[in-house]
Each structure stands twice: as structure tokens, then as C-alpha cells.
Amino acid sequence: MHEVLPYSPPDNDGVNKTNLLRKIWSKPRATLAYVLDKHIDEHVSLFFVLGGIARAVARVTAQYSSQPTHKMGLSTSLILAIIGGSISGIVTYIGYSWGLSLIGGWLGGRATNDQFKIVLGWALVPSITTLVFLFPALCVLNGEFTSTPLLADTLLASCGLAQIGLGIWSSVILIKGVILIQNFSIGRAMANVLLPGAVLIGLILLIASFW
């Protein structure tokens, strides 16, 4: 089995159990090395739930941005998004972790499914933070800034950019984590991250072709 900690600086870049949520942003590789070494997995399920909620709320925000007269009320949509996102987050990310482990094995890696779960959970932290930026967008959609349309448009645009940026950083952290646990090059790590989704889409299209 590959060494879990190929990177471990003498002072561990100042990472400890009390500052993991802060260090995952600036020192993602060292932070992931620490949580893997200590097997800190008690937050992973919560990260999966919150990640699913963030995706679901983002979809609601996008729907109401493009269709202000959506047939379902905003409050009802948000409640359903929180409930559905909680469930889908667990199912989706556990399935994705399994897919990462399977594809990673095909690519010659030896990381375990548990290691992938830990890496994926902590990589979701920036994406989860999009919930903070979605609140201003929801206020706009709820008509809080109808008297200042320029401010409303600016808030929506800023929230959209924040979502994109945080989503990209989550992807970067995930790739760094895959490099760490698989001892892969960046190219193989990116393939490990992207191929599970591609395989799933291919299977769906294959099944659909028989209907």
C-alpha cells in the first residue's frame, strides 16, 4: 500500500486539530495529510450532508433567478432543497467516493474507500461555504431589494462568482488529496476525479439506449 503521508513537513505547516477548518483553505495538502494520519473522519458525514444542501440550495437560487414566477414558493422550495439535499448529499458523495476508489484502482492506485471519503469530505469545505453567499441572493429573490435593482443585480452576480470560485477551490483540494493518497501525477489524479462521472453518464446513456 502506498504511504499515506508522502508529504509531511517538520512542523506540519502548523496544522493541528483546532485549526483544520482554517488550514484546509491555505494548506490543503498538509491538512489532508494530518486528517488522514489521525484518521479524523467524524465530520465527513456532516460535510456530505452540508455539501448536498449547498448544491440543492444553489439549484433553487438558479431556478428563481431565471424564473422569478416559479410555480412553487421560495420558502417551500428551500425546505424541500434542505431535506432532499441532505439525503442526496449522503448518497451522492458516498457513491462518488466508491467510484473514485474503483477508478483509482484501475489507474494503479491503492488508496482505500475510507481515505477517499475523508479527502472528499474535507475538499467540500469551500463548496459548503457557498451557503453563506447564497443568503444575500435569496434576499434578492425574496424581493428585499426591489427599490435598488442595481444593488440586487450586483449581489446576484457577486454570489454567482463566489460559487464558481469556491467550487473550483474544492476541486483543486480534491485533486491535491488524490495526489496525496494515490501518489499520482496531476494528470492521473485529474483522470481519477473525472472518470467516475464519465463512466456513470456512459452507463446511463447505455441503459437509456435500450428503452
Side-chain angles (χ1 to χ4, degrees):
M1 184 172 181
H2 286 301
E3 179 65 30
V4 173
L5 298 175
Y7 169 70
S8 182
D11 62 355
N12 208 28
D13 279 348
V15 176
N16 57 64
K17 198 168 184 178
T18 64
N19 63 13
L20 296 176
L21 288 173
R22 178 166 56 85
K23 287 291 187 177
I24 192 65
W25 294 81
S26 59
K27 302 289 182 182
R29 184 172 174 129
T31 304
L32 291 174
Y34 182 91
V35 297
L36 287 162
D37 182 44
K38 305 297 182 183
H39 202 77
I40 301 174
D41 61 354
E42 60 264 31
H43 307 301
V44 169
S45 294
L46 177 60
F47 289 154
F48 286 174
V49 168
L50 292 175
I53 291 174
R55 286 192 304 124
V57 172
R59 282 197 297 270
V60 169
T61 305
Q63 288 172 356
Y64 275 83
S65 296
S66 59
Q67 302 175 20
T69 57
H70 200 276
K71 62 182 179 180
M72 188 180 295
L74 181 58
S75 298
T76 303
S77 296
L78 285 175
I79 292 172
L80 293 176
I82 291 171
I83 296 172
S86 300
I87 298 170
S88 68
I90 288 287
V91 174
T92 300
Y93 291 122
I94 287 178
Y96 184 43
S97 297
W98 177 81
L100 288 169
S101 179
L102 178 66
I103 297 298
W106 293 351
L107 294 172
R110 298 182 183 179
T112 66
N113 189 32
D114 285 342
Q115 289 172 329
F116 273 111
K117 284 181 181 178
I118 292 173
V119 167
L120 178 58
W122 283 92
L124 285 171
V125 170
S127 291
I128 292 168
T129 308
T130 59
L131 284 169
V132 175
F133 295 94
L134 287 170
F135 283 115
L138 292 172
C139 289
V140 172
L141 296 175
N142 198 40
E144 299 293 333
F145 299 96
T146 52
S147 60
T148 53
L150 179 59
L151 177 59
D153 291 342
T154 301
L155 281 173
L156 284 176
S158 299
C159 291
L161 290 173
Q163 284 180 261
I164 294 171
L166 291 168
I168 290 173
W169 191 236
S170 277
S171 298
V172 170
I173 293 174
L174 177 58
I175 291 171
K176 285 177 176 286
V178 172
I179 292 172
L180 179 68
I181 61 176
Q182 294 279 61
N183 200 20
F184 277 175
S185 65
I186 187 170
R188 290 175 77 190
M190 291 179 68
N192 198 165
V193 168
L194 295 174
L195 282 176
V199 171
L200 178 61
I201 292 172
L203 287 174
I204 292 173
L205 293 175
L206 179 63
I207 293 171
S209 68
F210 291 101
W211 290 85

